[in-house]
Amino acid sequence: MENSKTLAALFIHTLVLVAPLLVMATDPDPLQDFCVADLNGMPTVNGYPCKPPSSVGDEFLFSSRATKGGDPMSNPNGSNVTELDVTHWPGVNTLAVSMNRVDFTPGGTNPPHIHPRATEVGLVTRGELLVGIIGSLKSGNRYYSKVLKVGDTFVIPRGLMHFQFNVGKEEASMVVSFNSQNPGIVFIPLTMFGSSPPIPTPVLAKALRVDTEVVDLIKSKFTGGY
């Protein structure tokens, strides 16, 4: 009887130690060659449901979407983003990769923003771009920047605020890639002044140390979004 109690206690003790590991156990890598996204399904933690292999050809491996950029004059920022995330390129589903092409008018900017779910690597393919990265509070909010030309590259750590600005006299372009099929984006100006419902004006006035009239003026610039 004593031995049974000892074995039972040992089993319970072992279970308490091992259970958290079982709960946390995952398989971070894809378990099949490809999982072409079924965009009609509901996304889960690892992506969209897979289409049956028999129902897809090989076109999901390739995309010509980024061969032509959009019109950078289509918004006040003077830039246009051509997205190649999972919703535009279903073949990247579960592969933790995606791409964007960004085109700029002279003086155009990709405004300060963050990608909450991905690190970004970029290549300038045309023109000259000022790339700026702002560190976290722990770094003293340090500002890192450099003017990059064709062939130059840059990296943006996940979650850090950054921007690109065309400092040249001609149009500029860049191609960027992410280590997420859906990196997400939070535009800082739009988030602060164009949220829905809006952030209370007194909150922004206090945070920015300006009069409420200034906040209301800036908010009026973002009523139509980006």
Side-chain angles (χ1 to χ4, degrees), residues 31-210:
L31 300 181
Q32 62 281 317
D33 290 341
F34 302 103
C35 174
V36 180
D38 180 357
L39 299 179
N40 293 319
M42 292 294 294
T44 60
V45 173
N46 292 325
Y48 285 87
C50 306
K51 286 185 175 180
S54 59
S55 69
V56 296
D58 57 5
E59 67 279 359
F60 67 89
L61 291 171
F62 312 100
S63 174
S64 58
R65 180 175 170 82
T67 57
K68 294 182 179 180
D71 180 10
M73 295 292 291
S74 62
N75 68 66
N77 298 320
S79 65
N80 184 87
V81 179
T82 303
E83 295 178 305
L84 273 167
D85 59 16
V86 66
T87 60
H88 298 97
W89 195 4
V92 303
N93 190 41
T94 75
L95 299 181
V97 293
S98 58
M99 299 176 65
N100 283 348
R101 169 179 171 161
V102 189
D103 296 278
F104 302 81
T105 62
T109 183
N110 193 16
H113 61 278
I114 65 174
H115 300 290
R117 294 185 289 274
T119 292
E120 175 181 346
V121 175
L123 169 70
V124 177
T125 58
R126 180 172 56 161
E128 300 180 26
L129 290 172
L130 169 65
V131 177
I133 307 165
I134 300 87
S136 64
L137 182 63
K138 189 173 183 180
S139 75
N141 297 316
R142 182 174 176 180
Y143 169 54
Y144 308 84
S145 68
K146 188 173 183 179
V147 174
L148 302 182
K149 300 181 179 181
V150 175
D152 290 337
T153 57
F154 60 88
V155 61
I156 313 290
R158 173 181 175 178
L160 290 190
M161 185 165 64
H162 59 284
F163 66 87
Q164 296 89 18
F165 180 74
N166 184 1
V167 296
K169 297 181 179 180
E170 307 293 335
E171 291 189 349
S173 301
M174 67 178 188
V175 175
V176 297
S177 61
F178 305 95
N179 63 336
S180 170
Q181 68 185 36
N182 186 15
I185 189 166
V186 179
F187 283 113
I188 306 304
L190 180 61
T191 301
M192 292 182 64
F193 299 103
S195 64
S196 180
I199 298 173
T201 293
V203 174
L204 293 175
K206 189 71 172 180
L208 299 174
R209 305 172 190 177
V210 298

